[in-house]
Every structure is written in structure tokens, then in C-alpha cells.
Amino acid sequence: MRVVYGRADQVLHRNTGPDVVAMLPGEGDVHLLSGPAAVVWELLSEEAALDGLIHAMADLYDRPAEEIAASVETCLNDLASRRLVEMHRA
Amino acid sequence: MPDGRPVGFREAARIVAGFGLPAGPDPEPMVVAKNEWQTFVARVWGEKLTGLAIAASHGGALPLSDERAETLLERHRRAMAWCLRVEERLLTLDDRFSDAGIEYAVLKGPTIAHTAYPDPSLRGFGDLDVLVRGRDFKAACSTLRQMGFGRIVPEPRRGFDERFGKAATHRHDGDSMEIDLHRTLVLGPFGLWIKPEVLLDRAVPFGLGDRQIPRLDDTGMLLNVAMHASLGWPPGLAPLRDVLQVSSAMAVDWAVLRSWAEAWRLSAVLHHAFATAESVLGAKATVDSRIFSDSRHRRSESRALRTYLGERHAVGGTALSTLRAIPGLRDKAAYMEALAFPQQEFMRGRYSKRSYGRRLLTPARWGLQRLLDRRHPQQQVRFTPRGD
């Protein structure tokens, strides 16, 4: 069994050029996702496993996967702490 | 500064409003003059067109310096953040209306953004419009009050809303967000002639987050945006874009729309909406829309339409045409009495000083203005975007 990440179903969001604004209804805060966080959000239009996201980001930014792995995981954890992203066991 | 054809803010806003339409022109790159840039940004912000401006920039029609791109992006972020707050409020409204057993459908705004445009960020909006049945109007007002929304202007007389009213604007005590609670789609005769309950009977859901929210079906949506584009005041570019967007992207039942137009005397309005959208945005409407240019418009339709447009709008044109459209002497008298002698709450909401004298002088002011207009005749049917 592996862990996959996906956008929380109830999140409201919009693209704003290179960035994304997103909010969880009832929470009050509108979050601005920019740079790599916006790219991760875009990749999460479909559920993805951590290693898949790391490799996709490595390809997009032309960096070795091991160099960016920690940053991608931190970004995911941050999005999850804001309840914009959810983890599922697939 | 990037290269492009120099344009003023008005032309730039119109080109942005038509950008990306399937039957639109392929615009050459344009550059907004330096002394008009701030006005252009204010215009696209006010007209809820920041998303289309960003799209035009990415599509090469509006090449921007880094500084201008950042200015526009910042406005767009703010506009989209507000849209999310409006949608959040819509989810609350859905909960409250469901609990109260109030049937409703969302009009325009979020429904168009999420269903007619390829990406909802292309269509901004600033408030909510919801349609309810006349019998639910009072309960809906009460529910909005419980949500912290106060009605800006009370109804002129008890029962006016259900008999003659179009909508009541409610403003939130905290963030000033507005909800227009509609009993019908527009003010005046066309609002009285249509049967909103038919539109509500055909409501369908659209997805918002993980919820399903009621909206007008595609045909009802086109009717709504066309009436808004043609009869709304002040006229705007986004509603004209909506007419061409909805008619080309949605599954409109043209036979049903035609039957409504004939039954509800809307052929002239629909023809005017399509013709104005084509003329202002420079894009072709779908061939299906030609049924309204081919059909004969009744004299009462054309006369009523003229009262919404141009100078007559400001000199009582809509009120007088509403009076003509109200059937029966008893109802006509009730309408006139309500407008001439409204209740005190209405006067307090409408005027800074409660003055029945000023209210009663309004028809005299309209008459004087009409007399002056007759001496200096101006074009009656025209499109003048807000602020021009």
C-alpha cells in the first residue's frame, strides 16, 4: 500500500497567471501559492505519489531528484497542514 | 516597452473582452498608451476582465513590460481571492436556503465562470445573484438577515416585491459583500413578462468544491446573460462577452429559447444583445442566434426595449413602461401609489433626507428632461460602456 496526495475536494481555487489562490471554505484564509508550490498544486490535479511528484518536479526544474526531494515533501506537508491537500492510502 | 499597435484604454478593454472567442478576430499585438495604462487597469478590474487581460497577454495580443504584467497580476490575484470569498458565501447560502426549504438558482457570476468559460479564472465577479420563487422571497430575505446581510433599500410598500419587484440588494454587515435576491431577471416590463418559475423548474446543478449548487440550465443561462447584456444598467463589456461565450460553449436549446422569446416578448431583446455583442466585441455570434434577427419583433417589445436604452432610461422610461406592462387598472394604481407614496423605511434607505416632496417632483423632473431632450435629440438606442 502506498501513500498518494491529492487536492482536498472541498477546496476552492483559481489560477492567477503563474500563481494559484486557494481557500478551504469556513477557514477564512485565502492562500497564495506561488513558484514551486503552484507547480505542485497543478501536478496534483490528479492524485500522485510522493516519488512521482519528486520526479515530475525534477524534470520540470531540470534538477536531480535527490536534490529537490526534501523541498517537495516540505511543500506537500505545508499544503496538507493548511488542509488544501489530503493524503490517501492507495 | 514591448512593440505593438498603440491603443487607448477603451479600445484595449474591448479587445480584451473579446479575446479568445471562437469566432473572434485574431488581434494584432497592442500597447496601451503610457498615460492610459492606469485607467485601463481600473477598467478591466471594474469590468471583471483581469483574467481575460492576463490571457490576452499570454496569447500575444497584449504584450506587457514586467512592471505592467506585475500590476495586472496583482489586481487579478485580488479579484480571484474575492471570487473565492463570494463562492464560500454561496456555500453558506446553499446550506441556509436548504435548511429553510427555499428553492433557488444562482444567476451569472460563479455559474458562468465554472461552466461556460474554459477556466473559471477568466470570468471574475463581485457579488452573488440568486433567483427565488415569489412565494419564497420574504423567507429568503429573512434567511439573508440571519447570515448578516441587510437589505440596502426596503420595498416601497408591503407586497411590492412579490407583485412588481425585480430584486433586492443585500449587503453584509462585515465585509460589504452583496447578494442580489431576484424574483425575476430584470426590472421593468420584460421582468414582468417572463415566467421565472419556468426557469427555476429547469434548474440543474454545477460543481463547486465538493458540492452541487443549483443554476439555470444552459438555455436559461443564455436568456439571463442576454437580458442582462441588453437591459442591464450600466451596460458592461463582460455581459456582452458572456452572451457570445455562453451561446457558443453551452448546449443551448434554441427551439426552447425561441418559444420563450415569442411567449415572453423577448425577440427584440435577444436580437439587440447578439447584435450589440457582435458590434462591440468584433466577433461573430453562432448562426443559431440569427433566428432572432429574422423574427418579427412586436411593437410593444421594441417600444419597451427603447425605454431601457439611452437617455430615456434616466428619465423614467423603465418605470413608465412597467406601468404599461402591468395588467389591470387596480394593479397599475397600486404600482403608482407605491412609487409615489412609499413607506418611510424606503425613503430613509433611498434618500439622505426623507422628503415626499422631492419624491413627488421626480415625474416633473423626468418630464422637464424629456422636453430638453426633444430640443436636443440624441441617439436613443446605443451602447455606452460604463465610464465612457
Side-chain angles (χ1 to χ4, degrees):
Chain A
M1 193 172 292
R2 63 187 188 129
V3 172
V4 293
Y5 292 84
R7 298 175 183 171
D9 290 338
Q10 63 270 44
V11 169
L12 305 173
H13 59 96
R14 287 289 196 287
N15 294 323
T16 57
D19 309 325
V20 172
V21 289
M23 82 179 302
L24 192 67
E27 294 288 304
D29 293 327
V30 176
H31 303 281
L32 174 66
L33 312 180
S34 56
V39 177
V40 167
W41 181 261
E42 193 55 43
L43 291 170
L44 287 174
S45 60
E46 292 179 16
E47 288 189 340
L50 178 60
D51 55 347
L53 284 169
I54 290 169
H55 283 101
M57 292 291 283
D59 285 346
L60 284 168
Y61 285 87
D62 198 18
R63 290 275 197 281
E66 53 275 19
E67 188 181 304
I68 64 163
S71 299
V72 172
E73 192 166 4
T74 302
C75 176
L76 280 169
N77 288 336
D78 183 47
L79 292 171
S81 72
R82 296 164 197 252
R83 297 167 58 202
L84 301 175
V85 163
E86 292 174 342
M87 283 185 291
H88 306 285
R89 297 197 182 280
Chain B
M1 178 66 68
D3 287 335
R5 182 172 65 91
V7 292
F9 77 91
R10 290 186 185 90
E11 185 180 0
R14 285 179 199 200
I15 291 170
V16 161
F19 180 79
L21 279 166
D26 202 8
E28 58 178 312
M30 60 179 171
V31 173
V32 180
K34 188 178 180 184
N35 60 344
E36 302 216 10
W37 170 251
Q38 290 301 334
T39 314
F40 168 75
V41 172
R43 169 61 65 90
V44 294
W45 162 265
E47 293 258 16
K48 318 289 187 288
L49 295 170
T50 53
L52 283 170
I54 300 283
S57 170
H58 290 170
L62 182 65
L64 298 173
S65 65
D66 290 348
E67 185 185 349
R68 286 188 172 190
E70 187 47 42
T71 303
L72 196 55
L73 274 173
E74 179 52 30
R75 288 292 186 117
H76 186 48
R77 284 187 204 108
R78 284 167 52 194
M80 293 299 104
W82 181 253
C83 287
L84 297 187
R85 293 201 180 281
V86 173
E87 290 180 351
E88 180 189 38
R89 198 60 61 69
L90 171 57
L91 295 173
T92 307
L93 180 144
D94 183 63
D95 286 336
R96 301 292 180 86
F97 276 23
S98 298
D99 290 347
I102 298 167
E103 196 182 340
Y104 78 101
V106 185
L107 306 172
K108 303 181 292 183
T111 69
I112 301 175
H114 282 278
T115 60
Y117 284 79
D119 187 302
S121 65
L122 292 173
R123 178 62 163 96
F125 45 87
D127 62 4
L128 273 178
D129 293 81
V130 296
L131 177 68
V132 297
R133 296 185 190 272
R135 65 167 188 247
D136 290 332
F137 199 86
K138 286 279 183 289
C141 285
S142 171
T143 304
L144 288 177
R145 260 198 309 278
Q146 290 164 15
M147 289 172 60
F149 284 86
R151 183 168 172 161
I152 296 177
V153 180
E155 61 182 336
R157 282 283 184 100
R158 189 183 293 272
F160 185 91
D161 285 338
E162 290 89 339
R163 291 171 79 181
F164 313 116
K166 166 219 171 190
T169 301
H170 294 70
R171 186 176 291 151
H172 195 264
D173 301 335
D175 57 17
S176 297
M177 188 181 294
E178 291 186 354
I179 296 179
D180 285 340
L181 188 65
H182 288 252
R183 183 194 67 83
T184 185
L185 298 184
V186 291
L187 190 68
F190 295 109
L192 293 175
W193 288 334
I194 69 167
K195 304 281 182 232
E197 60 271 22
V198 173
L199 304 177
L200 280 166
D201 288 343
R202 294 167 55 102
V204 295
F206 77 102
L208 187 62
D210 60 348
R211 303 265 288 276
Q212 294 292 308
I213 304 294
R215 67 167 175 91
L216 300 186
D217 74 345
D218 296 359
T219 309
M221 182 187 282
L222 178 56
L223 182 84
N224 183 204
V225 298
M227 291 180 78
H228 182 54
S230 186
L231 309 175
W233 195 266
L237 292 169
L240 294 174
R241 167 63 185 241
D242 290 341
V243 170
L244 300 184
Q245 187 72 36
V246 171
S247 59
S248 63
M250 307 295 278
V252 175
D253 187 329
W254 292 92
V256 168
L257 189 61
R258 184 173 192 166
S259 70
W260 287 347
E262 286 172 2
W264 301 340
R265 307 186 216 183
L266 287 167
S267 298
V269 171
L270 288 162
H271 171 58
H272 179 257
F274 281 108
T276 309
E278 285 187 325
S279 155
V280 172
L281 302 183
K284 284 281 172 209
T286 171
V287 290
D288 298 300
S289 68
R290 289 185 197 151
I291 56 176
F292 302 112
S293 53
D294 295 341
S295 60
R296 287 172 59 87
H297 307 147
R298 275 178 269 189
R299 199 160 154 253
S300 60
E301 291 179 35
S302 302
R303 190 169 64 175
L305 177 58
R306 280 197 297 274
T307 65
Y308 284 80
L309 309 169
E311 280 64 37
R312 286 201 168 208
H313 175 87
V315 290
T318 311
L320 292 174
S321 61
T322 303
L323 188 62
R324 279 191 214 106
I326 293 171
L329 281 175
R330 190 184 294 268
D331 282 349
K332 283 184 199 290
Y335 177 75
M336 285 172 64
E337 186 186 6
L339 292 188
F341 302 103
Q343 59 184 350
Q344 289 186 356
E345 288 77 11
F346 174 85
M347 296 293 285
R348 274 195 291 268
R350 191 72 186 263
Y351 303 106
S352 53
K353 286 183 182 173
R354 190 160 27 108
S355 163
Y356 286 103
R358 186 179 166 191
R359 180 79 186 168
L360 286 168
L361 281 174
T362 300
R365 185 170 50 80
W366 291 345
L368 183 64
Q369 189 60 52
R370 282 175 180 230
L371 201 65
L372 292 171
D373 287 349
R374 218 169 279 165
R375 291 191 178 175
H376 306 284
Q378 296 172 41
Q379 195 179 351
Q380 292 292 317
V381 179
R382 61 177 188 167
F383 174 81
T384 309
R386 61 192 72 180
D388 281 4

